[in-house]
Amino acid sequence: MTFCFGRELSCEFENWMRSISGLGVERLCLSFICGSVSVPRDPFSDRSLETLSLTAVLLASGQLEGILSSCFNLEQLTLKLCNLPYKLRFSSTVTYVTFHICGGVKEIDFQAANLRALDFHCFDNVRFIFSFVPKLENVTIHPSKADTMSYIFGDFARDLPAHVKSLAVRCGHEIKCIPIDMKMFRNIRQLSLSLFDLYDSDILNISLLLGACPLLQYLNLTAPQVEKKSTKQRGSREPPLSPMCHTKLKEVTLGGFYGSTSEIEVALFILRSALTLERMFLIPGYISPHRGNLATNVSFSDRERYSIQRELHGQAISREAVVIFYK
């Protein structure tokens, strides 16, 4: 059920919600498209409610905690364009949580025994405290500030529980400080990185991150750079990346790939170190955050494809490895 209220109807909201609570509603979407509106402190009290989506809602301190405590069977929560208090204490039965461009919040303490997936996309860098999340396995984070790399591989990575198995990161700017002793990534099986506005040489630092993920099975790396060297200008190579063994890595996708010097080095590094690699996908296109999330329409020319194939041919340590070019 989806509702939309204007400010003039906010006084009736509590009565309406009490009526809805008696209907056994399982999925409720509230969208205040006429502008952000405050809701009563305890508008929800429904044992049937399993999915709740709030858009453009003003939540005062303690209000979200009250909503969560009154919805005993809530499994999925989505907050979009909401104004949140400075600190949140997230204690609930919720399994899946999404924060999408919410403002105000600076610290979230998760004490959620059933939480399995967290999707966080906000403009501000938020401190996450994972006090009790024994089932958390999938984390997606899309920060938007300029210093996101130091945040992701600094405070966020330091506090990420070691049992998280799938991490998806989307951010931009240079890859600078990636600590090589990141124990919090040691159980990651699936890693998706969408990194934008990089320089060609920055992508080489990805090898440090792979070294911190010994159980990694699936890697999806999209890293279109702002400055690339043509495939014709490979006379001055960077020193080759140090080889290491990856015994679990099965599938790798490299998006925004054009065959620059550093991109070839990363591809060779993976081919030479992944003992069980089955497929490597090379994709010149990518999803651009500056074009409404539309796929950039590019493809390999025959000359580029031949040049890249010549560089990578016969370099895989795995006998099962196949390099696949996507248009």
Side-chain angles (χ1 to χ4, degrees):
M1 302 179 68
T2 302
F3 296 88
C4 175
F5 301 100
R7 287 184 179 274
E8 68 276 5
L9 296 177
S10 60
C11 59
E12 303 293 333
F13 181 76
E14 186 171 3
N15 292 332
W16 287 25
M17 291 310 304
R18 287 176 179 172
S19 299
I20 293 173
S21 297
L23 299 178
V25 173
E26 296 181 356
R27 180 178 181 180
L28 178 61
C29 303
L30 297 178
S31 177
F32 294 88
I33 60 175
C34 302
S36 296
V37 177
S38 298
V39 298
R41 178 163 293 274
D42 298 310
F44 308 103
S45 180
D46 196 336
R47 294 179 180 270
S48 302
L49 193 61
E50 297 178 359
T51 300
L52 175 62
S53 177
L54 301 178
T55 300
V57 175
L58 301 177
L59 293 170
S61 179
Q63 192 166 22
L64 180 60
E65 290 86 341
I67 292 174
L68 295 176
S69 63
S70 63
C71 298
F72 302 101
N73 293 313
L74 192 64
E75 296 182 358
Q76 185 170 344
L77 173 67
T78 300
L79 302 176
K80 297 180 180 179
L81 302 173
C82 292
N83 189 32
L84 305 176
Y86 186 86
K87 290 185 178 182
L88 284 178
R89 183 176 179 271
F90 198 94
S91 178
S92 172
T93 60
V94 172
T95 304
Y96 304 97
V97 178
T98 299
F99 292 85
H100 186 76
I101 314 182
C102 294
V105 64
K106 296 294 183 181
E107 180 179 295
I108 305 177
D109 185 1
F110 287 95
Q111 301 179 27
N114 296 329
L115 185 62
R116 294 183 179 275
L118 169 64
D119 189 339
F120 188 84
H121 182 189
C122 288
F123 290 117
D124 296 325
N125 294 341
V126 175
R127 183 192 177 196
F128 291 94
I129 302 174
F130 297 99
S131 296
F132 186 65
V133 284
K135 297 182 180 180
L136 182 62
E137 294 186 349
N138 305 297
V139 175
T140 300
I141 182 165
H142 296 178
S144 303
K145 284 195 171 180
D147 59 347
T148 52
M149 294 310 297
S150 58
Y151 165 66
I152 290 294
F153 299 110
D155 295 337
F156 178 78
R158 186 164 48 248
D159 296 331
L160 188 68
H163 55 263
V164 170
K165 296 181 180 179
S166 176
L167 175 64
V169 177
R170 181 173 180 176
C171 52
H173 304 280
E174 297 181 11
I175 305 175
K176 293 181 178 179
C177 52
I178 299 181
I180 59 176
D181 58 345
M182 294 181 295
K183 295 182 180 180
M184 68 290 297
F185 287 167
R186 64 180 180 267
N187 289 322
I188 293 291
R189 269 74 164 181
Q190 300 182 41
L191 179 63
S192 177
L193 294 175
S194 296
L195 309 174
F196 295 90
D197 300 328
L198 303 179
Y199 287 94
D200 191 36
S201 58
D202 291 335
I203 195 175
L204 295 175
N205 291 319
I206 293 298
S207 63
L208 299 177
L209 184 58
L210 294 180
C213 307
L215 300 182
L216 189 65
Q217 297 179 14
Y218 301 94
L219 171 65
N220 189 323
L221 172 62
T222 298
Q225 292 97 60
V226 297
E227 183 179 277
K228 292 177 178 290
K229 299 176 183 178
S230 169
T231 54
K232 303 176 185 177
Q233 300 174 348
R234 295 209 184 103
S236 57
R237 280 192 179 277
E238 298 284 342
L241 298 174
S242 299
M244 62 177 65
C245 291
H246 292 283
T247 60
K248 304 295 183 181
L249 194 58
K250 296 180 180 180
E251 184 174 298
V252 174
T253 299
L254 300 179
F257 188 97
Y258 293 87
S260 68
T261 301
S262 296
E263 289 172 335
I264 290 294
E265 289 297 339
V266 170
L268 288 173
F269 168 77
I270 295 172
L271 290 173
R272 293 167 177 171
S273 62
L275 300 178
T276 59
L277 186 67
E278 297 175 0
R279 293 178 296 274
M280 174 183 285
F281 297 97
L282 303 182
I283 306 176
Y286 58 92
I287 303 299
S288 173
H290 308 299
R291 299 187 180 184
N293 288 334
L294 297 176
T296 300
N297 186 21
V298 293
S299 60
F300 291 113
S301 67
D302 292 339
R303 187 172 184 177
E304 288 173 332
R305 184 191 298 264
Y306 173 76
S307 178
I308 296 171
Q309 285 176 330
R310 185 176 57 183
E311 296 270 6
L312 303 183
H313 180 72
Q315 298 297 317
I317 192 174
S318 170
R319 294 183 178 181
E320 305 296 328
V322 177
V323 177
I324 301 172
F325 289 79
Y326 265 36
K327 292 184 177 180

